[in-house]
Amino acid sequence: MKVYEFAKEIGLETILLMDKIKEWGLPVKSHMAVLSDEQKSDIMGRLDESSQKKSTAKKKVVKKKSASKADDDADDEDSKSKKKSSKKAGTKKTTSKKEASTKTASKKIASKKSSS
């Protein structure tokens, strides 16, 4: 099996696989080179090791991010509730102004009717 076929089989791009092979110092010169069964198993073993190392590193990073993200979300909720309460207070003021203008208008109408 050739390198590019093997890359498709394991779900990697050929270029990435070739970069890793060169990094590990394996005697493969091209993506068209034929891999022996021993080389395939060696590559699979090294990929598994590197993926395990990355997954443990990602877990540590995710835990740190999730804790700080929860704090950020709590801060966002506090600021949102403050904004909502200030908006509600603002709408109450405008409704009270409308009610006041309605009351004065009704007083004017009532006074006009009584004077006529």
Side-chain angles (χ1 to χ4, degrees), residues 33-101:
V34 178
L35 295 173
S36 67
D37 291 334
E38 185 179 310
Q39 287 175 327
K40 289 181 203 177
S41 63
D42 187 30
I43 291 170
M44 287 299 293
R46 290 181 188 214
L47 286 172
D48 289 340
E49 288 174 8
S50 65
S51 67
Q52 288 175 355
K53 289 178 184 176
K54 286 181 182 179
S55 66
T56 57
K58 285 182 182 180
K59 286 180 183 177
K60 291 178 183 177
V61 172
V62 170
K63 288 180 183 177
K64 290 179 184 177
K65 285 184 179 179
S66 64
S68 64
K69 189 173 182 179
D71 294 339
D72 292 342
D73 290 343
D75 293 340
D76 289 342
E77 290 176 10
D78 291 341
S79 63
K80 286 179 184 178
S81 64
K82 288 178 184 177
K83 287 179 184 178
K84 285 182 181 179
S85 63
S86 66
K87 284 183 181 180
K88 287 180 181 177
T91 56
K92 287 180 182 176
K93 290 179 183 176
T94 56
T95 54
S96 63
K97 287 181 184 177
K98 287 180 184 177
E99 290 173 358
S101 64

